């Protein structure tokens, strides 16, 4: 029992049932005493009685909840004794389960997409967040405010580009240097043209060239500066200042759409098996090539023209490519020149590279026994680099047990890290440099609590194991801290590593390392398996594999505009329109359809065509309507479509189909899908994710009964403790 300030007793132990009669007697006596002491202060007494009644109600309610929880737990145990538990996870881009049995599971893969978006503002001057240093001048930009400092070390004026503004020809814009204390010059610059801001007030300028103009800050020769500054570039006079932000996606600032399976192998491959001299090339059904023997002077042609000038392929100007295969690709151009694209090389061209021959080659005299996977993709950062046959993409699916930590063998700067068959690591040697990283491959971890720990660090001077992100966030353990529990709030791609200080000595030390979700459990050997699923066509939401009918099913079409299309104007003149006869018809003018574009945002037809909402596209009947934006005529709009197509960055729209497209599964697809349809899980904990963290996964599995019961009891007890604590 506890008592109030007035000395009135009340029950405070909510974990046990009350002895109502005894408790009421004690409380009644304490109330009598309180009344006497307070000399009949009715207000205090009534307040105390009310408090007691409230506490009693809470206690009764908590006892009832405890009884209910215990009943539910008993019913669960009885139920589980009679049958196996079939579990199904919700759709997610990664899956974590902790109670898997040995019964095969079913993993389903569906399409998905990701696109960066941002709402724009009236201020067209967008400053580059971060720090810029040039000729002794430092500009630090945070939330649209630039702080400048330093002395110009040049004998000439220094011009620093600190942002951009996308402007259109034949339009008037209004420039304003907002409040700030930094001395210097402020201007817009493009192709030799400079438009200056006035030192105070607002000025207007006329623009003669469409495109991005550089926002520049300039400092005179040998001058010292300090202070802050803000810029404004507006379409209308006397517009109130706001931080400049790009509208993304927009015609001015396209935003590419990442789609499951967009890592298409663009490298033509018509190679056939051959044997020349002592070298045998065997071309597999998926286009991979096994080569064995000793080369004299030998090549395997992937594609070859019928004469020396016939075009068989071209790399298009202004696109970024990467050789993601494990072999160099050599080509001969139609003009007779040769080039080699190295394994892992990222490359691009200012003009189209027209090709007459594509081939693989083994250096003369070299003895090989390898399988090559030739593949080149249109590259963006984070793309899945898994192999796929020509003209197909792929999804790499990884299944890992509870220990997610893995390092490859390495011998770097005096220290050898040697993974052992039993899952431990052997360390040998003397480090010649401090804190050199021996890295593993990146992998995804989802939000939640994690524990990283190591065994075997005793007696060492320095040894650090950890994970880190590309922006250098770290979670690590060392000889002083052998166990570290941390929590993350968002999905992160992390990379495992080992490092140590200079002169650290290792003498066949055996180390066990484990990274697992939740709290520490017994160490086990890391295990994982990868599945690479070929994809014939990019897959968006709702696209799926129908193994029963051997189909890859697609509900969307990607339309790339090249300017040859028939474009008209809607009757009210607010939109450009394009008719797509295979589109999923939309008659509800208030509905926002499943419609995607790298340059527009989907909206309802009412918002697009009636309200003329900027930067949008919509569907009505079989028509796609585009915001006219800065284009006054159909001819201007089509000219922009042609220009962007020729530059290699076309405007495209992804729209829903009236009838789904069904592609026959290939032999390779069937083989992988059959494995996923009868997926062998690790007993207990499994972590399943894809390389891009993009494809939607759903796992139907049978839980291990004991693990399921144990986990449920732990969760139920935790809930009971929360209830008992009044939470």
């Amino acid at each position: 029992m506890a008592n109030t300030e007035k000395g009135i007793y009340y029950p405070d132990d909510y974990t046990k049932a009350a002895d109502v009669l005894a408790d009421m007697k004690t409380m009644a006596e304490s109330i009598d005493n309180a009344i006497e002491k307070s000399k009949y202060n009715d207000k205090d007494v009534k307040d105390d009685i009310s408090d007691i009644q409230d506490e009693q109600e809470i206690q009764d309610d908590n006892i009832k909840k405890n009884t209910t929880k215990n009943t539910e737990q008993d019913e669960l145990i009885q139920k589980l004794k009679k049958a196996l538990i079939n579990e199904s996870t919700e759709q997610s881009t990664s899956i974590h389960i902790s109670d898997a049995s040995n019964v095969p599971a079913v993993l389903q893969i569906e399409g998905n997409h990701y696109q960066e978006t941002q709402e724009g503002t009236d201020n067209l001057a967008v400053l580059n967040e971060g720090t810029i240093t040039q000729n002794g001048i430092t500009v630090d930009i945070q939330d649209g405010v630039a702080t400048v400092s330093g002395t110009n070390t040049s004998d000439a004026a220094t011009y620093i580009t600190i942002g951009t503004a996308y402007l259109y020809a034949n339009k008037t814009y209004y420039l304003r240097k907002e409040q700030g204390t930094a001395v210097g010059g402020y201007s817009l610059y493009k192709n030799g043209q400079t438009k200056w801001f006035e030192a105070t007030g607002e000025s207007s300028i006329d623009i003669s060239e469409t495109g991005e103009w550089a926002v520049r800050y300039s400092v005179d020769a040998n001058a010292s500066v300090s202070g802050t500054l803000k810029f404004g570039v507006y379409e209308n006079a006397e517009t109130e200042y706001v931080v400049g932000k790009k509208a993304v996606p927009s015609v001015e600032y396209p935003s590419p759409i990442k789609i499951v399976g967009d890592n298409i192998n663009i490298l033509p491959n018509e190679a056939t098996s051959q044997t020349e001299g002592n070298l045998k090339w065997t071309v597999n059904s998926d286009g991979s090539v096994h080569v064995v023997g000793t080369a004299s002077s030998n090549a395997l042609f992937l594609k070859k023209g019928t004469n020396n000038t016939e075009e068989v392929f071209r790399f298009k100007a202004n696109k970024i490519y990467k050789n993601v295969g494990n072999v160099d690709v050599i080509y001969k151009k139609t003009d007779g020149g040769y080039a080699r694209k190295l394994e892992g090389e990222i490359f691009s061209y200012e003009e189209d590279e027209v090709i007459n021959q594509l081939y693989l080659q083994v250096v003369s005299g070299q003895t090989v026994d390898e399988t090559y996977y030739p593949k080149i993709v249109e590259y963006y950062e984070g793309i899945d680099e898994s192999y796929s046959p020509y003209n197909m993409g792929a999804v790499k699916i990884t299944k890992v047990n509870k220990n997610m930590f893995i390092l490859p063998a390495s011998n770097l700067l005096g220290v050898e890290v040697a993974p052992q068959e039993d899952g431990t690591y052997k360390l040998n040697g003397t480090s010649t440099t401090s804190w050199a990283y021996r890295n593993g491959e990146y992998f995804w971890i989802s939000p939640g609590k994690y524990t990283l720990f190591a065994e075997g660090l005793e007696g060492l001077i320095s040894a650090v194991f950890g994970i880190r992100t590309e922006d250098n966030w770290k979670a690590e353990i060392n000889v002083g801290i052998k166990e570290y529990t941390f929590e993350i709030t968002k999905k992160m791609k992390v990379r495992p590593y080992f490092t140590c200080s200079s002169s650290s000595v290792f003498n066949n030390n055996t180390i066990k390392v484990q990274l697992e979700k939740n709290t520490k459990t017994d160490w086990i050997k890391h295990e994982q398996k990868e599945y690479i699923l070929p994809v014939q066509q990019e897959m968006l939401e709702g696209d799926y594999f129908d193994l029963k009918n051997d189909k890859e099913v697609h509900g969307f079409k990607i339309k790339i505009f090249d300017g040859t299309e028939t474009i008209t104007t809607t009757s009210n003149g607010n939109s450009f329109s394009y008719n797509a006869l295979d589109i999923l018809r939309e008659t509800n003018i208030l509905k926002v359809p499943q419609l995607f574009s790298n340059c527009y945002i989907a909206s309802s037809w009412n918002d697009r065509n009636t309200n003329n909402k900027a930067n949008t596209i919509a569907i009505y009947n079989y028509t796609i309507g585009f915001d006219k934006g800065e284009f006054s005529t159909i001819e201007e709009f089509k000219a922009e479509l042609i220009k962007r197509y020729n530059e290699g960055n076309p405007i495209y729209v992804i729209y829903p189909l009236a009838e789904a497209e069904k592609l026959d599964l290939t032999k390779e697809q069937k083989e992988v899908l059959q494995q996923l349809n009868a997926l062998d899980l690790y007993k207990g904990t499994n972590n399943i994710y894809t390389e891009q963290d993009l494809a939607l996964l759903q796992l139907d599995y049978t839980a291990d009964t004991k693990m399921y019961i144990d986990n449920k009891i732990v969760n139920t007890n935790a809930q009971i403790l929360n209830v008992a604590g009044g939470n």
Side-chain angles (χ1 to χ4, degrees):
M1 301 284 282
N3 62 284
T4 66
E5 291 180 357
K6 299 293 185 182
I8 298 177
Y9 288 95
Y10 62 89
D12 65 343
D13 187 352
Y14 306 132
T15 63
K16 65 179 182 179
D19 185 342
V20 178
L21 292 177
D23 288 350
M24 289 300 294
K25 180 181 178 182
T26 301
M27 288 189 290
E29 291 173 348
S30 66
I31 291 169
D32 288 341
N33 293 333
I35 292 172
E36 182 65 29
K37 289 179 180 178
S38 63
K39 296 183 178 180
Y40 304 98
N41 186 331
D42 288 344
K43 181 178 183 305
D44 288 347
V45 172
K46 289 177 181 178
D47 287 346
D48 285 341
I49 292 173
S50 177
D51 289 343
I52 293 167
Q53 290 172 336
D54 290 344
E55 292 290 346
Q56 185 66 47
E57 288 176 3
I58 291 172
Q59 180 184 9
D60 292 343
D61 184 54
N62 286 335
I63 292 170
K64 183 178 179 181
K65 287 180 179 178
N66 289 350
T67 303
T68 301
K69 290 292 182 183
N70 288 329
T71 301
E72 290 175 353
Q73 181 172 307
D74 291 341
E75 290 175 351
L76 174 64
I77 293 172
Q78 292 303 316
K79 179 182 177 182
L80 294 176
K81 286 179 178 178
K82 297 178 181 179
L84 293 173
I85 303 300
N86 292 318
E87 287 285 279
S88 180
T89 61
E90 296 182 1
Q91 273 194 340
S92 177
T93 56
S94 62
I95 292 172
H96 171 83
I97 59 172
S98 57
D99 55 8
S101 69
N102 291 325
V103 179
V106 176
L107 181 66
Q108 301 177 65
I109 314 291
E110 289 194 10
N112 198 12
H113 86 284
Y114 172 77
Q115 182 179 31
E116 290 187 9
T117 62
Q118 176 179 272
E119 190 171 339
T121 63
D122 290 336
N123 185 356
L124 305 179
V126 180
L127 302 191
N128 302 324
E129 296 287 307
T131 302
I132 306 165
T133 300
Q134 185 175 323
N135 292 344
I137 304 297
T138 297
V139 183
D140 182 56
I141 302 171
Q142 302 291 334
D143 297 324
V145 179
T147 301
V148 301
S149 60
T151 300
N152 185 5
T153 58
S154 173
D155 292 332
T158 290
Y159 294 85
I160 305 172
T161 297
I162 61 174
T164 59
Y166 198 103
L167 309 177
Y168 283 90
N170 305 316
K171 288 194 65 173
T172 299
Y173 294 91
Y174 299 86
L175 312 184
R176 192 167 66 240
K177 171 184 170 290
E178 305 292 347
Q179 68 268 25
T181 58
V183 176
Y186 315 93
S187 62
L188 298 176
Y189 177 84
K190 183 175 178 64
N191 293 337
Q193 304 175 70
T194 302
K195 305 289 185 179
W196 291 94
F197 288 71
E198 298 291 344
T200 59
E202 186 172 86
S203 60
S204 63
I205 59 170
D206 294 323
I207 294 296
S208 59
E209 186 174 354
T210 296
E212 276 194 326
W213 288 65
V215 178
R216 302 199 303 182
Y217 170 63
S218 56
V219 180
D220 289 339
N222 304 311
S224 297
V225 293
S226 64
T228 61
L229 58 98
K230 296 190 291 188
F231 292 97
V233 178
Y234 308 101
E235 291 186 338
N236 300 304
E238 300 180 357
T239 300
E240 183 178 353
Y241 172 79
V242 65
V243 174
K245 292 185 178 180
K246 303 174 181 178
V248 180
S250 62
V251 173
E252 295 81 6
Y253 299 105
S255 177
I257 302 173
K258 299 177 181 179
I259 310 173
V260 173
D262 63 5
N263 54 344
I264 295 171
N265 187 353
I266 66 167
L267 183 65
N269 189 347
E270 299 176 359
T272 57
S273 299
Q274 66 183 43
T275 300
E276 290 190 17
N278 294 321
L279 201 63
K280 181 180 181 180
W281 302 83
T282 302
V283 181
N284 301 314
S285 60
D286 65 353
S288 61
V289 180
H290 181 248
V291 57
V292 60
T294 301
S296 51
S297 180
N298 184 263
L300 178 72
F301 285 94
L302 301 176
K303 193 165 185 179
K304 182 179 181 181
T306 57
N307 56 55
N308 290 331
T309 58
E310 180 188 6
E311 177 186 339
V312 297
F313 180 70
R314 70 170 57 201
F315 291 112
K316 295 180 180 179
N318 304 313
K319 287 188 175 293
I320 301 174
Y321 299 97
K322 183 175 182 179
N323 178 3
V324 298
N326 64 341
V327 59
D328 295 354
V329 176
I330 307 165
Y331 64 82
K332 173 182 173 291
K333 297 185 286 186
T334 54
D335 64 8
Y338 287 82
R340 177 188 292 266
K341 296 294 115 184
L342 302 176
E343 174 187 346
E345 181 178 351
I346 298 173
F347 58 98
S348 62
Y349 300 97
E350 293 182 358
E351 298 180 355
D352 284 7
E353 190 88 336
V354 185
I355 296 169
N356 172 250
Q357 297 175 6
L358 287 157
Y359 58 94
L360 312 179
Q361 188 176 52
V362 177
V363 177
S364 181
Q366 183 179 359
T367 300
V368 293
D369 185 358
E370 293 188 47
T371 299
Y372 295 138
Y373 297 91
K375 180 172 180 177
I376 292 177
V377 297
E378 291 187 16
Y379 178 74
Y380 60 80
E381 187 175 353
I383 196 170
D384 185 341
E385 299 186 7
S386 304
Y387 177 73
S388 57
Y390 169 60
N391 210 29
M392 294 180 68
V395 178
K396 180 180 178 182
I397 304 143
T398 303
K399 176 188 68 178
V400 184
N401 67 352
K402 77 172 181 179
N403 185 358
M404 293 178 277
F405 193 91
I406 181 173
L407 285 176
S410 64
N411 196 334
L412 178 67
L413 299 172
V415 176
E416 180 185 15
V417 179
Q420 303 298 297
E421 185 64 29
D422 63 0
T424 61
Y425 297 95
K426 291 281 190 182
L427 303 181
N428 276 294
T430 301
S431 175
T432 59
T433 303
S434 288
W435 316 124
Y437 287 97
R438 290 82 173 170
N439 294 312
E441 297 294 326
Y442 281 103
F443 61 89
W444 288 95
I445 56 175
S446 56
K449 183 167 71 174
Y450 290 83
T451 300
L452 176 66
F453 71 88
E455 299 173 5
L457 298 178
E458 293 78 14
L460 297 178
I461 297 174
S462 170
V464 179
F465 292 89
I467 57 172
R468 59 176 178 156
T469 60
E470 290 179 331
D471 58 5
N472 218 30
W473 172 91
K474 295 178 183 178
E476 61 184 23
I477 49 177
N478 53 48
V479 295
I481 303 173
K482 301 180 182 65
E483 181 181 329
Y484 178 48
T485 298
F486 58 96
E487 191 157 352
I488 64 168
T489 57
K490 64 179 182 179
K491 284 190 176 180
M492 302 193 320
K493 204 169 190 179
V494 297
R495 191 174 200 178
Y497 64 85
F498 164 76
T499 187
C500 60
S501 63
S502 179
S503 301
S504 295
V505 178
F506 304 99
N507 185 18
N508 211 33
N509 298 97
T510 299
I511 313 295
K512 295 178 178 179
V513 186
Q514 183 156 295
L515 171 68
E516 62 183 304
K517 199 164 188 179
N518 299 318
T519 55
K520 178 183 177 182
T521 61
D522 290 343
W523 176 88
I524 64 171
K525 174 184 176 180
H526 168 92
E527 292 184 272
Q528 76 176 54
K529 185 172 181 180
E530 297 171 349
Y531 306 84
I532 298 179
L533 175 62
V535 177
Q536 297 183 55
Q537 192 171 294
E538 297 95 327
M539 303 184 72
L540 281 101
E541 285 82 345
D543 293 350
Y544 66 99
F545 298 96
D546 181 359
L547 186 57
K548 181 178 179 181
N549 296 300
D550 290 340
K551 300 294 182 183
E552 179 179 308
V553 183
H554 295 270
F556 293 87
K557 180 176 181 177
I558 302 177
K559 168 59 184 172
I560 298 174
F561 287 85
D562 60 12
T564 62
E565 297 81 9
T566 299
I567 305 292
T568 58
T569 306
T570 53
S571 57
N572 65 1
N574 283 344
S575 305
F576 294 126
S577 60
Y578 168 76
N579 288 335
L581 298 181
D582 57 351
I583 199 169
L584 179 63
R585 185 185 181 197
E586 182 56 70
T587 58
N588 184 349
I589 64 171
L590 300 178
K591 181 179 178 181
V592 179
Q594 277 194 300
L595 191 63
F596 314 98
S597 173
N598 62 331
C599 291
Y600 299 92
I601 298 171
S603 75
S604 69
W605 188 262
N606 188 63
D607 279 344
R608 162 77 304 279
N609 202 52
T610 303
N611 300 330
N612 202 20
K613 186 176 180 180
N615 196 40
T616 58
I617 53 173
I619 301 174
Y620 182 65
N621 281 326
Y622 302 102
T623 298
I624 300 175
F626 297 80
D627 173 27
K628 294 175 70 175
E630 299 295 332
F631 306 107
S632 302
T633 66
I634 292 173
E635 290 70 27
E636 289 180 2
F637 181 56
K638 293 186 73 171
E640 182 71 10
L641 296 178
I642 293 170
K643 173 176 173 288
R644 292 187 181 231
Y645 182 81
N646 290 336
E647 289 176 347
N649 298 296
I651 292 175
Y652 59 86
V653 173
I654 305 173
Y655 61 82
L657 291 169
E659 184 175 343
E661 183 180 7
K662 299 180 180 181
L663 308 175
D664 292 335
L665 294 177
T666 66
K667 172 178 172 289
E668 290 75 25
Q669 286 181 299
K670 291 178 186 178
E671 290 174 352
V672 178
L673 287 169
Q674 285 165 358
Q675 293 180 62
L676 299 178
N677 203 48
L679 187 65
D680 290 325
L681 297 175
Y682 301 111
K683 186 72 175 287
T685 299
N686 289 258
N687 299 281
I688 303 173
Y689 56 89
T690 60
E691 188 71 11
Q692 276 185 288
D693 191 43
L694 190 58
L696 292 174
L697 310 176
Q698 180 166 319
L699 183 71
D700 297 311
Y701 73 102
T702 301
D704 178 89
T705 307
K706 183 181 183 304
M707 291 181 183
Y708 185 89
I709 293 173
D710 290 344
N711 290 341
K712 287 293 184 182
I713 290 175
V714 168
N715 292 335
T716 302
N717 287 340
Q719 292 173 17
I720 290 173
L721 290 174
N722 285 336
V723 170
N727 295 326

